[in-house]
Amino acid sequence: MKIDTWYGILEIGSKGEVLASEPFPKDIRELALRSLSLRDSRQNLPPEGFDLKAAALECKFVESPSEYYSLLHEVTLDAAKIQVSEALTPDQRIVQAVEALDDINETTNSLSERLFEWYGGYFPESGLNGESLALFIVKYGSRENIAPDDPLYLKARDSMGAKLEAADEMLLKGFAESVCSLYGQRRQIEAYIESGMEVLAPNLTLTAGPMLGARLISIAGSLEKLAAFPSSTIQVIGASKALFKHLRDRAPSPKHGVIYSHPLINTSPWWMRGKIARALAAKLSLAARIDFYSEKIDPSLPEKLEEKIQKIRALNPRPPQKRPESGAKPKKKRRK
Amino acid sequence: MKIDTWYGILEIGSKGEVLASEPFPKDIRELALRSLSLRDSRQNLPPEGFDLKAAALECKFVESPSEYYSLLHEVTLDAAKIQVSEALTPDQRIVQAVEALDDINETTNSLSERLFEWYGGYFPESGLNGESLALFIVKYGSRENIAPDDPLYLKARDSMGAKLEAADEMLLKGFAESVCSLYGQRRQIEAYIESGMEVLAPNLTLTAGPMLGARLISIAGSLEKLAAFPSSTIQVIGASKALFKHLRDRAPSPKHGVIYSHPLINTSPWWMRGKIARALAAKLSLAARIDFYSEKIDPSLPEKLEEKIQKIRALNPRPPQKRPESGAKPKKKRRK
């Protein structure tokens, strides 16, 4: 009878005596990998009551019980390490990317503003900001270097801005380059999230779009947690401040959290938004569950959502008679 | 008699009649520049009561009084533009650079932290952070690419970190490159401030160091304002929160603001710091005034400061008997 052990392949007799043995080399990492594959395969297991340590001594794999145990300790520790290192699941990687994207966004905006203010002293009439300003500065530096065929040429020539000294020009160009690199980085992360979401959560991506889907996973913590949320939670994810104000101060309940960024909501008239948000959240919750539990793609989801939205639109063609008060002001009466 | 006007050079007789004229071309920018240089030179001014408009008509520079006035309007407007554009003084440029440096610092730190957390999942044992981590990632990407002669080789081989997929590796490398570019940008701005401060405020630079000097100018708003501050203000610049707490809550008065970063203060024992801060602030105030009003370099300033500090050290060799309470806690009794 042949059995696989963590230290080698043994041929044993009916009474458990070792007939032949083929011990592995004493490399910790290799032994750990073998023991993990052994655990997964579950084939050629030793019979019950079989003494692995005695067999290891018998086939001269180790020379003493203490050596056996210390080696076993190291191998299991290494196997644990290997398992830990495999724990960074795709949805965790998406969450990391979303967080990095938020950081990049904040950073890019603050440096862009600084660049705008800084360069404003030298060419206030440019009318550029953000990436186009950074690209302009990287290209020309001082407005004196502007090409005559550039649409900003006349403005640059007649500008009230100060003369840009060579040292400042170098500095501003470097700064603008950093800003451009951050904008590029932002696009790269967005592309990563988009392609990653299509693999990780195709239904959620189909229904919510990749960025909103990724943000929902990021706020929930993982796809598993998002799939466990009721749709009413998904509806107000990201609006926790308004939600607690509602629970504490009898303010109106928030109608939507981060899902507000979905075009179905933010392009709809205000009196439909709450209803659409509820329908959307229901479908998002469904999509997350399909993604997590079945991994199949259900192309009918967006269609059904569209149908539902059409119904809502048909049933609410006009704003309600009494316009509700502004949401920021706490109401005296709790809404039913 | 020859006179210079904004529209040309005239030769006039004793009664103000134009004998000969040499009008300039009708280019607004050139006329504006000439009128500015005319204002600065103050030579060949027309005699009192001389009618410039009539002479302009007489020498055929313009054809009607209305053309004369509209041209004059445009030229003076353009001259004003030129003057405005020269208003970005060297100290304002230093202030801009200090503000940009603050933004860059904040940004770099936040992105570095994000990189540390992100890459931590893949190589938690690296022990690197900040720029060295970013450089490591740019160089190797995944820890599997580490060179065998790298001191981190063994740690990388046995790391518990997850396997870095190609898409994530590309993303992390790009992110790390942006972080490196920001670190480089930071060094560039610092070098700019250092060289700029040596020209703008050599005495302040000598006494405070370029970065602290620039920060003082930046908080004050300009070198002129800094030169106008009493030294007691310079001592607590940047500690406004503590100062107002002192004025409101009877908390102890702050001993130092941003000047705490000066090595004379932060390397001294705590019981001398207030005295040294006062001496330092006095010399800084002096230095700023010399820089603003005389622009000469006084190399004796740091020597005198050193003498004063030696005296303070000699007179306060030991901490005072009763250790004052922690500064954070408001005191019941106002300090005299």
Side-chain angles (χ1 to χ4, degrees):
Chain A
M1 181 185 168
K2 211 183 107 183
I3 59 165
D4 289 342
T5 68
W6 64 269
Y7 51 81
I9 299 161
L10 305 180
E11 187 70 42
I12 55 167
S14 55
K15 281 168 191 167
E17 72 275 19
V18 178
L19 300 175
S21 68
E22 193 190 316
F24 301 135
K26 278 187 197 168
D27 183 287
I28 304 292
R29 174 54 54 107
E30 218 163 287
L31 289 170
L33 286 171
R34 276 180 206 270
S35 75
L36 282 173
S37 70
L38 195 67
R39 191 201 54 174
D40 292 340
S41 72
R42 302 203 158 272
Q43 281 175 345
N44 300 331
L45 291 176
E48 227 172 287
F50 181 77
D51 190 344
L52 275 172
K53 182 190 64 176
L57 283 165
E58 207 176 324
C59 72
K60 306 270 187 263
F61 176 70
V62 288
E63 297 190 336
S64 66
S66 70
E67 193 196 344
Y68 177 84
Y69 285 119
S70 86
L71 205 60
L72 183 59
H73 174 77
E74 278 180 58
V75 169
T76 46
L77 199 70
D78 203 54
K81 273 192 189 182
I82 294 170
Q83 278 182 280
V84 166
S85 75
E86 283 166 356
L88 218 66
T89 52
D91 61 344
Q92 287 312 308
R93 278 154 48 203
I94 294 272
V95 169
Q96 287 274 25
V98 170
E99 286 174 1
L101 185 66
D102 286 344
D103 279 354
I104 285 265
N105 269 337
E106 204 185 303
T107 316
T108 314
N109 290 343
S110 107
L111 292 187
S112 275
E113 269 171 49
R114 170 64 52 205
L115 191 65
F116 178 77
E117 202 185 313
W118 200 355
Y119 199 66
Y122 301 106
F123 187 14
E125 298 88 351
S126 75
L128 302 169
N129 57 24
E131 192 173 11
S132 47
L133 177 66
L135 287 170
F136 179 88
I137 298 172
V138 168
K139 191 169 171 192
Y140 296 120
S142 164
R143 68 187 150 78
E144 283 167 11
N145 306 328
I146 194 167
D149 57 345
D150 196 287
L152 286 169
Y153 178 72
L154 285 180
K155 278 187 182 173
R157 203 194 52 184
D158 303 334
S159 169
M160 283 182 73
K163 191 176 150 24
L164 187 55
E165 306 289 334
D168 297 65
E169 184 177 359
M170 226 182 70
L171 206 60
L172 269 161
K173 268 192 164 181
F175 199 91
E177 269 166 30
S178 293
V179 173
C180 283
S181 133
L182 287 171
Y183 275 108
Q185 190 53 39
R186 181 157 106 176
R187 273 191 291 274
Q188 220 176 318
I189 298 185
E190 278 171 355
Y192 172 89
I193 293 176
E194 277 164 26
S195 65
M197 280 297 288
E198 266 167 37
V199 178
L200 171 72
N203 291 296
L204 192 60
T205 308
L206 215 58
T207 325
M211 295 313 297
L212 175 57
R215 197 160 291 280
L216 286 170
I217 295 178
S218 161
I219 299 176
S222 69
L223 182 58
E224 185 176 6
K225 283 187 193 159
L226 185 67
F229 279 170
S231 81
S232 56
T233 302
I234 291 181
Q235 192 184 341
V236 293
I237 271 183
S240 46
K241 214 174 138 188
L243 183 65
F244 287 117
K245 198 172 172 63
H246 162 62
L247 297 173
R248 203 179 51 230
D249 292 344
R250 304 188 169 186
S253 68
K255 293 194 290 288
H256 29 59
V258 289
I259 63 165
Y260 181 76
S261 72
H262 196 289
L264 274 180
I265 298 182
N266 63 25
T267 60
S268 291
W270 60 265
W271 67 89
M272 292 182 202
R273 285 183 189 163
K275 294 178 177 67
I276 295 179
R278 202 171 61 185
L280 177 63
K283 287 289 176 280
L284 291 179
S285 159
L286 210 55
R289 283 165 203 189
I290 301 174
D291 283 330
F292 185 70
Y293 292 106
S294 88
E295 296 181 10
K296 277 182 207 146
I297 298 181
D298 181 355
S300 71
L301 264 178
E303 286 165 29
K304 284 181 191 160
L305 178 60
E306 191 53 41
E307 267 172 43
K308 180 80 187 160
I309 303 293
Q310 292 301 348
K311 261 188 215 166
I312 293 174
R313 290 209 175 117
L315 285 170
N316 301 275
R318 253 175 284 274
Q321 286 279 304
K322 203 179 148 194
R323 203 188 153 119
E325 282 171 42
S326 154
K329 217 171 127 195
K331 275 189 165 179
K332 284 285 170 275
K333 226 172 108 187
R334 185 184 279 269
R335 289 169 93 199
K336 288 280 152 22
Chain B
M1 182 183 163
K2 207 183 106 185
I3 60 166
D4 290 343
T5 69
W6 65 268
Y7 51 83
I9 300 163
L10 305 179
E11 186 72 39
I12 55 167
S14 54
K15 282 169 190 164
E17 72 276 21
V18 179
L19 301 176
S21 68
E22 192 189 319
F24 301 136
K26 278 188 199 168
D27 182 288
I28 304 291
R29 174 54 54 104
E30 217 164 285
L31 288 171
L33 286 169
R34 276 182 207 268
S35 77
L36 282 174
S37 70
L38 194 68
R39 189 199 57 173
D40 293 340
S41 70
R42 304 204 156 272
Q43 280 174 347
N44 301 330
L45 290 177
E48 226 171 294
F50 181 76
D51 189 345
L52 276 171
K53 183 190 61 171
L57 283 165
E58 204 176 328
C59 72
K60 308 269 187 261
F61 177 68
V62 286
E63 299 192 335
S64 66
S66 71
E67 192 194 346
Y68 178 84
Y69 285 120
S70 87
L71 204 60
L72 183 59
H73 175 77
E74 278 180 56
V75 169
T76 46
L77 200 69
D78 202 54
K81 273 193 190 182
I82 294 170
Q83 277 182 282
V84 166
S85 76
E86 283 166 356
L88 218 68
T89 52
D91 61 345
Q92 286 314 310
R93 280 154 48 201
I94 294 272
V95 169
Q96 287 275 25
V98 170
E99 285 173 3
L101 185 66
D102 286 345
D103 279 353
I104 285 264
N105 269 337
E106 205 184 302
T107 317
T108 316
N109 289 343
S110 106
L111 292 187
S112 274
E113 269 172 50
R114 171 63 53 204
L115 191 65
F116 179 77
E117 203 186 311
W118 199 357
Y119 198 67
Y122 302 105
F123 187 14
E125 298 88 351
S126 74
L128 301 170
N129 56 26
E131 193 173 11
S132 47
L133 178 66
L135 287 170
F136 179 88
I137 298 172
V138 168
K139 192 170 171 192
Y140 295 120
S142 163
R143 69 187 149 77
E144 282 166 11
N145 306 329
I146 194 168
D149 58 344
D150 196 287
L152 286 169
Y153 178 71
L154 286 179
K155 277 188 183 171
R157 204 194 52 183
D158 303 335
S159 169
M160 284 181 72
K163 189 174 153 24
L164 187 55
E165 306 290 334
D168 298 66
E169 184 178 359
M170 225 183 71
L171 204 60
L172 269 162
K173 268 192 164 180
F175 199 92
E177 268 165 30
S178 293
V179 173
C180 283
S181 132
L182 287 171
Y183 275 108
Q185 193 52 38
R186 181 157 107 178
R187 273 191 292 275
Q188 219 177 319
I189 298 185
E190 277 171 355
Y192 172 89
I193 293 176
E194 277 165 28
S195 65
M197 280 296 288
E198 265 166 38
V199 178
L200 171 73
N203 292 297
L204 193 60
T205 308
L206 215 59
T207 324
M211 295 312 297
L212 176 57
R215 196 158 291 281
L216 287 170
I217 293 177
S218 159
I219 300 177
S222 69
L223 182 58
E224 183 175 8
K225 283 188 193 160
L226 185 67
F229 279 170
S231 81
S232 56
T233 301
I234 292 182
Q235 191 183 340
V236 294
I237 271 183
S240 47
K241 213 173 139 188
L243 183 65
F244 287 116
K245 197 172 171 62
H246 161 64
L247 296 172
R248 200 180 53 229
D249 294 344
R250 305 190 166 184
S253 67
K255 293 195 290 289
H256 29 59
V258 289
I259 63 164
Y260 180 77
S261 71
H262 197 289
L264 274 180
I265 297 181
N266 63 24
T267 61
S268 290
W270 59 266
W271 67 88
M272 292 181 199
R273 284 182 188 162
K275 293 179 177 69
I276 294 178
R278 201 169 62 185
L280 177 63
K283 288 288 177 284
L284 291 179
S285 158
L286 209 57
R289 284 165 200 189
I290 300 174
D291 283 330
F292 185 71
Y293 292 106
S294 89
E295 295 181 11
K296 277 182 208 149
I297 298 180
D298 181 355
S300 72
L301 263 178
E303 286 165 30
K304 282 180 191 159
L305 178 61
E306 190 53 43
E307 265 173 45
K308 179 81 187 159
I309 304 292
Q310 291 302 347
K311 261 189 212 164
I312 292 174
R313 289 208 175 117
L315 286 170
N316 301 275
R318 252 175 286 272
Q321 285 278 304
K322 202 179 148 196
R323 203 187 152 121
E325 279 171 44
S326 154
K329 217 172 128 195
K331 274 187 164 181
K332 285 285 170 274
K333 227 170 108 185
R334 186 185 277 269
R335 289 169 91 201
K336 289 277 148 31

